[in-house]
Amino acid sequence: EAGVTQSPTHLIKTRGQQATLRCSPISGHTSVYWYQQALGLGLQFLLWYDEGEERNRGNFPPRFSGRQFPNYSSELNVNALELEDSALYLCASSSVPGIGTDTQYFGPGTRLTVL
Amino acid sequence: LAKTTQPISMDSYEGQEVNITCSHNNIATNDYITWYQQFPSQGPRFIIQGYKTKVTNEVASLFIPADRKSSTLSLPRVSLSDTAVYYCLVGRLSGGYNKLIFGAGTRLAVHP
């Protein structure tokens, strides 16, 4: 069974540009989560999508947005890039929540570098 | 969501058993305890999850005392490839919870 996939692996942008990151969840998983991990730091929750809708977002400005498609894949868009947006962006998926199934499976991440 | 406290770092040697303890005094009745492993520049990898007593899989064991205010991840006979950051999380995704809070984790260094 294929795991969570993310593309691209690396992305280099300049300040003010927009970045689009993509994620495909594990087959059968309907929830997708996005996290930001700056170098040497812990994971910061960004966004949660389930069944095509944004369910919650972390403490990030509105220029961080995304969407989930009917096939449950997801995009994360970061507008007006700033230098401090440079980080590893991780996507995770989970199945329909239930007893003992509250586990997120992570993709390999997209390394975004803002110059 | 319950806050967790873990040691910042630990050192061990190949072949030894490593025990990483996590404190979660405010754990709720419906919360599960989950451990993840993360290598540099990779996504966290699920290791083990439990609710109470002991859980064992092919990778690790998880010990949870009766009061559930702490848990211990046990890695038997570690190798150099076990050098990673280990995160303890408490919570659940259903019942209105919508995110997992990752703390700083424990940086485990395994030496030859």
Side-chain angles (χ1 to χ4, degrees), chain A residues 31-36 43-50 54-60 90 92-95 97 101-106, chain B residues 1-4 30-34 36 49 88-103:
Chain A
S31 279
V32 170
Y33 306 81
W34 288 95
Y35 292 85
Q36 180 196 65
L43 284 78
Q44 301 295 319
F45 168 74
L46 262 167
L47 290 159
W48 172 43
Y49 291 96
D50 184 63
E54 180 181 306
R55 300 296 184 180
N56 204 7
R57 62 183 295 126
N59 189 26
F60 281 85
L90 292 160
S93 73
S94 69
S95 60
T101 62
D102 297 271
T103 301
Q104 293 185 355
Y105 296 90
F106 286 80
Chain B
L1 295 173
K3 180 183 176 181
T4 60
N30 293 333
D31 285 343
Y32 277 73
I33 300 159
T34 310
Y36 286 84
Q49 183 182 78
C88 164
L89 289 84
V90 174
R92 63 180 306 168
L93 294 174
S94 60
Y97 291 113
N98 46 41
K99 57 187 178 184
L100 296 180
I101 306 297
F102 284 79

Short mmCIF file of all heavy atoms in Angstrom, two decimals, chain A residues 31-36 43-50 54-60 90 92-95 97 101-106, chain B residues 1-4 30-34 36 49 88-103:
data_model
loop_
_atom_site.label_atom_id
_atom_site.label_comp_id
_atom_site.label_asym_id
_atom_site.label_seq_id
_atom_site.Cartn_x
_atom_site.Cartn_y
_atom_site.Cartn_z
N SER A 31 -8.88 12.44 5.74
CA SER A 31 -8.35 13.63 6.41
C SER A 31 -6.90 13.89 6.01
O SER A 31 -6.09 12.96 5.95
CB SER A 31 -8.41 13.46 7.93
OG SER A 31 -9.71 13.73 8.41
N VAL A 32 -6.61 15.16 5.75
CA VAL A 32 -5.25 15.58 5.42
C VAL A 32 -4.86 16.72 6.35
O VAL A 32 -5.64 17.64 6.59
CB VAL A 32 -5.15 16.04 3.96
CG1 VAL A 32 -3.79 16.69 3.71
CG2 VAL A 32 -5.33 14.85 3.02
N TYR A 33 -3.66 16.65 6.87
CA TYR A 33 -3.13 17.65 7.79
C TYR A 33 -1.84 18.22 7.22
O TYR A 33 -1.05 17.50 6.61
CB TYR A 33 -2.83 17.03 9.16
CG TYR A 33 -3.99 16.28 9.76
CD1 TYR A 33 -4.29 14.99 9.36
CD2 TYR A 33 -4.78 16.86 10.74
CE1 TYR A 33 -5.36 14.29 9.90
CE2 TYR A 33 -5.85 16.18 11.29
CZ TYR A 33 -6.14 14.89 10.86
OH TYR A 33 -7.20 14.21 11.41
N TRP A 34 -1.65 19.49 7.44
CA TRP A 34 -0.40 20.15 7.04
C TRP A 34 0.31 20.69 8.27
O TRP A 34 -0.33 21.27 9.16
CB TRP A 34 -0.68 21.29 6.07
CG TRP A 34 -1.10 20.86 4.70
CD1 TRP A 34 -2.37 20.72 4.23
CD2 TRP A 34 -0.24 20.52 3.62
NE1 TRP A 34 -2.35 20.31 2.92
CE2 TRP A 34 -1.06 20.18 2.52
CE3 TRP A 34 1.16 20.48 3.46
CZ2 TRP A 34 -0.53 19.80 1.28
CZ3 TRP A 34 1.68 20.10 2.24
CH2 TRP A 34 0.84 19.77 1.17
N TYR A 35 1.64 20.50 8.29
CA TYR A 35 2.48 20.99 9.37
C TYR A 35 3.67 21.72 8.78
O TYR A 35 4.15 21.38 7.69
CB TYR A 35 3.02 19.84 10.24
CG TYR A 35 1.97 19.11 11.05
CD1 TYR A 35 1.23 18.07 10.50
CD2 TYR A 35 1.74 19.43 12.39
CE1 TYR A 35 0.28 17.38 11.25
CE2 TYR A 35 0.79 18.74 13.15
CZ TYR A 35 0.08 17.73 12.55
OH TYR A 35 -0.86 17.05 13.30
N GLN A 36 4.16 22.68 9.53
CA GLN A 36 5.40 23.36 9.17
C GLN A 36 6.46 23.01 10.20
O GLN A 36 6.20 23.04 11.41
CB GLN A 36 5.19 24.88 9.16
CG GLN A 36 6.45 25.66 8.79
CD GLN A 36 6.34 27.13 9.16
OE1 GLN A 36 6.26 27.49 10.33
NE2 GLN A 36 6.33 28.00 8.15
N LEU A 43 7.21 20.39 15.09
CA LEU A 43 6.16 20.54 14.08
C LEU A 43 5.09 21.52 14.57
O LEU A 43 4.63 21.42 15.70
CB LEU A 43 5.51 19.20 13.79
CG LEU A 43 6.28 18.22 12.92
CD1 LEU A 43 7.37 17.53 13.70
CD2 LEU A 43 5.33 17.18 12.33
N GLN A 44 4.73 22.43 13.70
CA GLN A 44 3.66 23.38 14.00
C GLN A 44 2.45 23.07 13.11
O GLN A 44 2.58 23.06 11.89
CB GLN A 44 4.13 24.82 13.75
CG GLN A 44 5.34 25.22 14.56
CD GLN A 44 5.06 25.25 16.04
OE1 GLN A 44 4.01 25.71 16.48
NE2 GLN A 44 6.00 24.76 16.84
N PHE A 45 1.30 22.85 13.73
CA PHE A 45 0.10 22.52 12.98
C PHE A 45 -0.35 23.71 12.14
O PHE A 45 -0.45 24.84 12.63
CB PHE A 45 -1.01 22.11 13.94
CG PHE A 45 -2.38 22.02 13.33
CD1 PHE A 45 -2.70 20.96 12.49
CD2 PHE A 45 -3.32 23.00 13.57
CE1 PHE A 45 -3.96 20.88 11.92
CE2 PHE A 45 -4.58 22.92 13.01
CZ PHE A 45 -4.90 21.86 12.17
N LEU A 46 -0.65 23.45 10.87
CA LEU A 46 -1.08 24.48 9.94
C LEU A 46 -2.58 24.38 9.63
O LEU A 46 -3.34 25.30 9.89
CB LEU A 46 -0.32 24.34 8.62
CG LEU A 46 0.89 25.23 8.37
CD1 LEU A 46 1.66 24.70 7.15
CD2 LEU A 46 0.49 26.65 8.17
N LEU A 47 -2.98 23.27 9.03
CA LEU A 47 -4.33 23.14 8.51
C LEU A 47 -4.78 21.68 8.59
O LEU A 47 -3.98 20.76 8.54
CB LEU A 47 -4.40 23.58 7.05
CG LEU A 47 -4.24 25.07 6.75
CD1 LEU A 47 -3.83 25.26 5.30
CD2 LEU A 47 -5.54 25.80 7.04
N TRP A 48 -6.10 21.52 8.69
CA TRP A 48 -6.72 20.20 8.66
C TRP A 48 -7.88 20.22 7.69
O TRP A 48 -8.75 21.08 7.79
CB TRP A 48 -7.19 19.79 10.05
CG TRP A 48 -8.01 18.53 10.08
CD1 TRP A 48 -7.77 17.37 9.40
CD2 TRP A 48 -9.20 18.31 10.84
NE1 TRP A 48 -8.73 16.44 9.71
CE2 TRP A 48 -9.62 16.98 10.59
CE3 TRP A 48 -9.95 19.08 11.73
CZ2 TRP A 48 -10.73 16.42 11.19
CZ3 TRP A 48 -11.07 18.52 12.33
CH2 TRP A 48 -11.45 17.21 12.05
N TYR A 49 -7.89 19.31 6.74
CA TYR A 49 -8.97 19.15 5.80
C TYR A 49 -9.59 17.77 5.95
O TYR A 49 -8.88 16.78 6.14
CB TYR A 49 -8.48 19.33 4.35
CG TYR A 49 -8.08 20.74 4.05
CD1 TYR A 49 -6.74 21.11 4.14
CD2 TYR A 49 -9.02 21.70 3.69
CE1 TYR A 49 -6.35 22.41 3.87
CE2 TYR A 49 -8.64 23.01 3.43
CZ TYR A 49 -7.30 23.37 3.53
OH TYR A 49 -6.92 24.65 3.28
N ASP A 50 -10.90 17.75 5.85
CA ASP A 50 -11.60 16.47 5.89
C ASP A 50 -12.82 16.57 5.00
O ASP A 50 -13.58 17.55 5.09
CB ASP A 50 -12.00 16.09 7.32
CG ASP A 50 -12.64 14.71 7.39
OD1 ASP A 50 -11.95 13.73 7.07
OD2 ASP A 50 -13.83 14.62 7.74
N GLU A 54 -12.16 22.67 5.06
CA GLU A 54 -11.19 23.04 6.07
C GLU A 54 -11.86 22.93 7.44
O GLU A 54 -12.87 23.58 7.71
CB GLU A 54 -10.70 24.47 5.86
CG GLU A 54 -9.67 24.91 6.89
CD GLU A 54 -9.20 26.35 6.68
OE1 GLU A 54 -8.74 26.67 5.57
OE2 GLU A 54 -9.30 27.15 7.64
N ARG A 55 -11.28 22.11 8.30
CA ARG A 55 -11.89 21.87 9.61
C ARG A 55 -11.29 22.75 10.69
O ARG A 55 -11.95 23.13 11.63
CB ARG A 55 -11.72 20.40 10.01
CG ARG A 55 -12.36 19.43 9.04
CD ARG A 55 -13.87 19.58 8.95
NE ARG A 55 -14.48 18.58 8.09
CZ ARG A 55 -15.76 18.49 7.83
NH1 ARG A 55 -16.61 19.35 8.39
NH2 ARG A 55 -16.22 17.55 7.04
N ASN A 56 -10.01 23.05 10.55
CA ASN A 56 -9.37 23.92 11.52
C ASN A 56 -8.02 24.36 10.99
O ASN A 56 -7.48 23.74 10.07
CB ASN A 56 -9.19 23.22 12.86
CG ASN A 56 -9.09 24.21 14.02
OD1 ASN A 56 -9.28 25.41 13.84
ND2 ASN A 56 -8.77 23.71 15.19
N ARG A 57 -7.50 25.44 11.54
CA ARG A 57 -6.19 25.92 11.16
C ARG A 57 -5.43 26.34 12.39
O ARG A 57 -6.01 26.72 13.41
CB ARG A 57 -6.28 27.06 10.15
CG ARG A 57 -6.98 28.31 10.66
CD ARG A 57 -7.07 29.35 9.54
NE ARG A 57 -5.77 29.81 9.15
CZ ARG A 57 -5.32 29.80 7.89
NH1 ARG A 57 -6.07 29.35 6.92
NH2 ARG A 57 -4.12 30.26 7.59
N GLY A 58 -4.13 26.27 12.28
CA GLY A 58 -3.27 26.69 13.37
C GLY A 58 -3.06 28.19 13.36
O GLY A 58 -3.70 28.93 12.62
N ASN A 59 -2.12 28.64 14.16
CA ASN A 59 -1.87 30.06 14.32
C ASN A 59 -0.95 30.58 13.22
O ASN A 59 0.20 30.93 13.47
CB ASN A 59 -1.27 30.32 15.71
CG ASN A 59 -1.18 31.79 16.02
OD1 ASN A 59 -1.95 32.59 15.50
ND2 ASN A 59 -0.23 32.14 16.88
N PHE A 60 -1.46 30.62 12.02
CA PHE A 60 -0.71 31.10 10.86
C PHE A 60 -1.53 32.16 10.14
O PHE A 60 -2.75 32.13 10.19
CB PHE A 60 -0.41 29.93 9.90
CG PHE A 60 0.74 29.06 10.35
CD1 PHE A 60 0.54 28.03 11.25
CD2 PHE A 60 2.03 29.28 9.87
CE1 PHE A 60 1.60 27.24 11.68
CE2 PHE A 60 3.08 28.49 10.29
CZ PHE A 60 2.86 27.47 11.19
N LEU A 90 5.19 19.34 6.03
CA LEU A 90 4.81 17.94 6.12
C LEU A 90 3.30 17.79 5.99
O LEU A 90 2.53 18.56 6.55
CB LEU A 90 5.26 17.35 7.46
CG LEU A 90 6.78 17.23 7.62
CD1 LEU A 90 7.17 17.13 9.08
CD2 LEU A 90 7.28 16.01 6.85
N ALA A 92 0.17 14.94 6.42
CA ALA A 92 -0.18 13.67 7.04
C ALA A 92 -1.63 13.34 6.71
O ALA A 92 -2.42 14.24 6.40
CB ALA A 92 0.00 13.75 8.56
N SER A 93 -1.94 12.06 6.74
CA SER A 93 -3.33 11.68 6.52
C SER A 93 -3.78 10.70 7.59
O SER A 93 -2.95 10.05 8.25
CB SER A 93 -3.52 11.07 5.13
OG SER A 93 -2.97 9.77 5.04
N SER A 94 -5.06 10.63 7.78
CA SER A 94 -5.63 9.67 8.72
C SER A 94 -6.96 9.19 8.17
O SER A 94 -7.58 9.83 7.33
CB SER A 94 -5.82 10.28 10.11
OG SER A 94 -6.83 11.26 10.10
N SER A 95 -7.35 8.01 8.66
CA SER A 95 -8.62 7.45 8.24
C SER A 95 -9.75 8.08 9.04
O SER A 95 -9.52 8.95 9.87
CB SER A 95 -8.61 5.94 8.44
OG SER A 95 -8.40 5.64 9.82
N PRO A 97 -11.85 8.96 11.81
CA PRO A 97 -11.48 8.82 13.22
C PRO A 97 -12.36 7.79 13.94
O PRO A 97 -13.56 7.71 13.70
CB PRO A 97 -11.70 10.22 13.79
CG PRO A 97 -11.58 11.12 12.62
CD PRO A 97 -12.17 10.33 11.47
N THR A 101 -7.90 4.43 16.15
CA THR A 101 -7.41 4.70 14.80
C THR A 101 -6.94 6.14 14.66
O THR A 101 -6.82 6.64 13.56
CB THR A 101 -8.52 4.44 13.76
OG1 THR A 101 -9.61 5.33 14.01
CG2 THR A 101 -8.98 3.01 13.81
N ASP A 102 -6.71 6.79 15.78
CA ASP A 102 -6.32 8.19 15.71
C ASP A 102 -4.83 8.30 15.47
O ASP A 102 -4.08 8.76 16.31
CB ASP A 102 -6.68 8.89 17.02
CG ASP A 102 -8.19 8.87 17.22
OD1 ASP A 102 -8.84 9.79 16.74
OD2 ASP A 102 -8.65 7.89 17.82
N THR A 103 -4.42 7.90 14.31
CA THR A 103 -3.00 7.92 13.96
C THR A 103 -2.81 8.65 12.65
O THR A 103 -3.54 8.43 11.70
CB THR A 103 -2.47 6.49 13.82
OG1 THR A 103 -2.66 5.79 15.04
CG2 THR A 103 -0.99 6.50 13.47
N GLN A 104 -1.85 9.53 12.63
CA GLN A 104 -1.53 10.24 11.41
C GLN A 104 -0.31 9.61 10.76
O GLN A 104 0.66 9.29 11.44
CB GLN A 104 -1.26 11.72 11.70
CG GLN A 104 -2.47 12.48 12.17
CD GLN A 104 -2.20 13.96 12.35
OE1 GLN A 104 -1.07 14.41 12.22
NE2 GLN A 104 -3.24 14.72 12.64
N TYR A 105 -0.36 9.47 9.47
CA TYR A 105 0.74 8.93 8.70
C TYR A 105 1.31 10.05 7.85
O TYR A 105 0.57 10.68 7.09
CB TYR A 105 0.28 7.75 7.86
CG TYR A 105 -0.20 6.59 8.70
CD1 TYR A 105 -1.52 6.48 9.09
CD2 TYR A 105 0.71 5.62 9.15
CE1 TYR A 105 -1.95 5.44 9.90
CE2 TYR A 105 0.28 4.57 9.95
CZ TYR A 105 -1.03 4.49 10.33
OH TYR A 105 -1.44 3.45 11.14
N PHE A 106 2.61 10.26 7.98
CA PHE A 106 3.24 11.41 7.38
C PHE A 106 3.91 11.09 6.05
O PHE A 106 4.43 9.99 5.84
CB PHE A 106 4.30 12.00 8.32
CG PHE A 106 3.70 12.76 9.48
CD1 PHE A 106 3.23 12.08 10.58
CD2 PHE A 106 3.61 14.14 9.44
CE1 PHE A 106 2.67 12.78 11.65
CE2 PHE A 106 3.06 14.84 10.49
CZ PHE A 106 2.59 14.16 11.59
N LEU B 1 -6.07 19.70 24.86
CA LEU B 1 -5.15 18.59 24.66
C LEU B 1 -4.12 18.59 25.78
O LEU B 1 -3.66 19.65 26.19
CB LEU B 1 -4.45 18.69 23.31
CG LEU B 1 -5.34 18.56 22.08
CD1 LEU B 1 -4.57 18.86 20.83
CD2 LEU B 1 -5.91 17.15 22.00
N ALA B 2 -3.81 17.42 26.25
CA ALA B 2 -2.88 17.31 27.35
C ALA B 2 -1.47 17.69 26.90
O ALA B 2 -1.02 17.30 25.83
CB ALA B 2 -2.88 15.88 27.89
N LYS B 3 -0.78 18.42 27.77
CA LYS B 3 0.59 18.80 27.47
C LYS B 3 1.50 17.66 27.89
O LYS B 3 1.25 16.97 28.87
CB LYS B 3 0.96 20.06 28.24
CG LYS B 3 2.38 20.53 28.00
CD LYS B 3 2.70 21.75 28.84
CE LYS B 3 4.16 22.15 28.68
NZ LYS B 3 4.49 23.32 29.51
N THR B 4 2.56 17.48 27.13
CA THR B 4 3.50 16.41 27.45
C THR B 4 4.87 16.98 27.77
O THR B 4 5.24 18.03 27.25
CB THR B 4 3.64 15.43 26.27
OG1 THR B 4 4.12 16.15 25.12
CG2 THR B 4 2.31 14.80 25.93
N ASN B 30 -10.50 10.02 27.28
CA ASN B 30 -10.55 9.48 25.93
C ASN B 30 -9.24 9.60 25.16
O ASN B 30 -9.18 9.25 23.99
CB ASN B 30 -11.64 10.19 25.13
CG ASN B 30 -13.02 9.89 25.65
OD1 ASN B 30 -13.24 8.83 26.23
ND2 ASN B 30 -13.94 10.80 25.48
N ASP B 31 -8.22 10.11 25.80
CA ASP B 31 -6.95 10.32 25.11
C ASP B 31 -6.16 9.03 24.95
O ASP B 31 -6.08 8.22 25.87
CB ASP B 31 -6.08 11.32 25.88
CG ASP B 31 -6.55 12.75 25.74
OD1 ASP B 31 -7.33 13.01 24.80
OD2 ASP B 31 -6.13 13.59 26.54
N TYR B 32 -5.56 8.88 23.79
CA TYR B 32 -4.59 7.83 23.55
C TYR B 32 -3.19 8.42 23.65
O TYR B 32 -3.00 9.63 23.58
CB TYR B 32 -4.78 7.23 22.15
CG TYR B 32 -5.87 6.19 22.09
CD1 TYR B 32 -7.20 6.55 22.16
CD2 TYR B 32 -5.54 4.84 21.97
CE1 TYR B 32 -8.19 5.58 22.12
CE2 TYR B 32 -6.53 3.87 21.93
CZ TYR B 32 -7.85 4.25 22.00
OH TYR B 32 -8.83 3.31 21.97
N ILE B 33 -2.21 7.58 23.81
CA ILE B 33 -0.80 7.98 23.87
C ILE B 33 -0.11 7.39 22.65
O ILE B 33 -0.19 6.19 22.40
CB ILE B 33 -0.14 7.46 25.16
CG1 ILE B 33 -0.87 8.04 26.38
CG2 ILE B 33 1.34 7.84 25.18
CD1 ILE B 33 -0.64 7.24 27.64
N THR B 34 0.52 8.26 21.89
CA THR B 34 1.14 7.85 20.64
C THR B 34 2.58 8.35 20.59
O THR B 34 2.87 9.46 21.02
CB THR B 34 0.36 8.42 19.44
OG1 THR B 34 -1.04 8.13 19.59
CG2 THR B 34 0.85 7.80 18.14
N TYR B 36 5.97 8.89 18.02
CA TYR B 36 6.47 9.00 16.66
C TYR B 36 7.99 9.11 16.70
O TYR B 36 8.57 9.61 17.64
CB TYR B 36 5.91 10.24 15.96
CG TYR B 36 4.47 10.15 15.55
CD1 TYR B 36 3.44 10.43 16.46
CD2 TYR B 36 4.12 9.80 14.25
CE1 TYR B 36 2.12 10.35 16.08
CE2 TYR B 36 2.79 9.72 13.86
CZ TYR B 36 1.81 10.00 14.78
OH TYR B 36 0.49 9.92 14.40
N GLN B 49 1.14 2.98 19.73
CA GLN B 49 0.04 3.71 20.37
C GLN B 49 -0.59 2.81 21.42
O GLN B 49 -0.70 1.60 21.22
CB GLN B 49 -1.00 4.12 19.32
CG GLN B 49 -2.16 4.94 19.85
CD GLN B 49 -3.16 5.25 18.76
OE1 GLN B 49 -3.97 4.40 18.37
NE2 GLN B 49 -3.10 6.46 18.23
N CYS B 88 6.32 12.20 21.91
CA CYS B 88 5.19 11.64 22.64
C CYS B 88 4.01 12.57 22.46
O CYS B 88 4.13 13.78 22.67
CB CYS B 88 5.56 11.52 24.13
SG CYS B 88 4.18 11.30 25.26
N LEU B 89 2.89 12.01 22.06
CA LEU B 89 1.69 12.81 21.87
C LEU B 89 0.54 12.20 22.65
O LEU B 89 0.40 10.98 22.73
CB LEU B 89 1.29 12.88 20.40
CG LEU B 89 2.17 13.69 19.48
CD1 LEU B 89 3.35 12.87 19.01
CD2 LEU B 89 1.38 14.19 18.30
N VAL B 90 -0.31 13.07 23.18
CA VAL B 90 -1.49 12.61 23.89
C VAL B 90 -2.70 13.32 23.30
O VAL B 90 -2.71 14.53 23.16
CB VAL B 90 -1.38 12.92 25.39
CG1 VAL B 90 -2.67 12.59 26.10
CG2 VAL B 90 -0.24 12.15 26.01
N GLY B 91 -3.69 12.56 22.97
CA GLY B 91 -4.89 13.15 22.42
C GLY B 91 -5.57 12.17 21.49
O GLY B 91 -5.19 11.01 21.40
N ARG B 92 -6.58 12.66 20.81
CA ARG B 92 -7.22 11.84 19.80
C ARG B 92 -7.80 12.75 18.75
O ARG B 92 -8.08 13.90 18.99
CB ARG B 92 -8.29 10.94 20.42
CG ARG B 92 -9.45 11.66 21.07
CD ARG B 92 -10.42 10.65 21.61
NE ARG B 92 -10.80 9.71 20.57
CZ ARG B 92 -11.47 8.59 20.81
NH1 ARG B 92 -11.78 8.26 22.04
NH2 ARG B 92 -11.79 7.77 19.84
N LEU B 93 -7.96 12.20 17.54
CA LEU B 93 -8.41 13.00 16.40
C LEU B 93 -9.93 13.05 16.32
O LEU B 93 -10.48 13.90 15.67
CB LEU B 93 -7.83 12.43 15.11
CG LEU B 93 -6.32 12.54 15.00
CD1 LEU B 93 -5.83 11.84 13.76
CD2 LEU B 93 -5.89 14.00 14.99
N SER B 94 -10.60 12.12 16.93
CA SER B 94 -12.05 12.14 16.88
C SER B 94 -12.59 12.89 18.09
O SER B 94 -11.84 13.40 18.90
CB SER B 94 -12.59 10.71 16.86
OG SER B 94 -12.18 10.02 18.02
N GLY B 95 -13.87 12.96 18.21
CA GLY B 95 -14.49 13.62 19.36
C GLY B 95 -14.23 15.10 19.42
O GLY B 95 -14.25 15.71 20.48
N GLY B 96 -13.99 15.73 18.26
CA GLY B 96 -13.79 17.17 18.25
C GLY B 96 -12.35 17.62 18.22
O GLY B 96 -12.06 18.75 17.89
N TYR B 97 -11.45 16.74 18.53
CA TYR B 97 -10.05 17.12 18.41
C TYR B 97 -9.67 17.11 16.95
O TYR B 97 -10.13 16.29 16.18
CB TYR B 97 -9.15 16.14 19.18
CG TYR B 97 -9.31 16.24 20.68
CD1 TYR B 97 -9.85 15.19 21.41
CD2 TYR B 97 -8.90 17.38 21.36
CE1 TYR B 97 -9.99 15.28 22.77
CE2 TYR B 97 -9.04 17.46 22.73
CZ TYR B 97 -9.58 16.42 23.43
OH TYR B 97 -9.71 16.50 24.78
N ASN B 98 -8.83 18.01 16.53
CA ASN B 98 -8.55 18.12 15.11
C ASN B 98 -7.07 18.27 14.79
O ASN B 98 -6.72 18.55 13.67
CB ASN B 98 -9.30 19.31 14.54
CG ASN B 98 -9.15 20.53 15.41
OD1 ASN B 98 -8.08 20.79 15.91
ND2 ASN B 98 -10.22 21.25 15.59
N LYS B 99 -6.24 18.09 15.72
CA LYS B 99 -4.82 18.23 15.44
C LYS B 99 -4.04 17.55 16.54
O LYS B 99 -4.54 17.32 17.62
CB LYS B 99 -4.42 19.69 15.37
CG LYS B 99 -4.74 20.47 16.64
CD LYS B 99 -4.49 21.95 16.47
CE LYS B 99 -4.86 22.72 17.73
NZ LYS B 99 -4.70 24.17 17.54
N LEU B 100 -2.85 17.20 16.21
CA LEU B 100 -1.94 16.64 17.20
C LEU B 100 -0.92 17.71 17.54
O LEU B 100 -0.41 18.37 16.66
CB LEU B 100 -1.26 15.40 16.66
CG LEU B 100 -2.17 14.21 16.36
CD1 LEU B 100 -1.35 13.05 15.82
CD2 LEU B 100 -2.90 13.78 17.61
N ILE B 101 -0.64 17.87 18.80
CA ILE B 101 0.34 18.85 19.25
C ILE B 101 1.65 18.13 19.48
O ILE B 101 1.77 17.28 20.37
CB ILE B 101 -0.10 19.55 20.54
CG1 ILE B 101 -1.49 20.16 20.38
CG2 ILE B 101 0.94 20.60 20.94
CD1 ILE B 101 -1.56 21.23 19.33
N PHE B 102 2.63 18.48 18.67
CA PHE B 102 3.96 17.90 18.83
C PHE B 102 4.78 18.80 19.74
O PHE B 102 4.90 19.98 19.49
CB PHE B 102 4.65 17.77 17.47
CG PHE B 102 4.16 16.64 16.64
CD1 PHE B 102 2.98 16.73 15.93
CD2 PHE B 102 4.89 15.45 16.54
CE1 PHE B 102 2.52 15.68 15.16
CE2 PHE B 102 4.45 14.40 15.76
CZ PHE B 102 3.26 14.51 15.07
N GLY B 103 5.34 18.21 20.77
CA GLY B 103 6.26 18.95 21.62
C GLY B 103 7.64 18.97 21.00
O GLY B 103 7.80 18.71 19.82
#
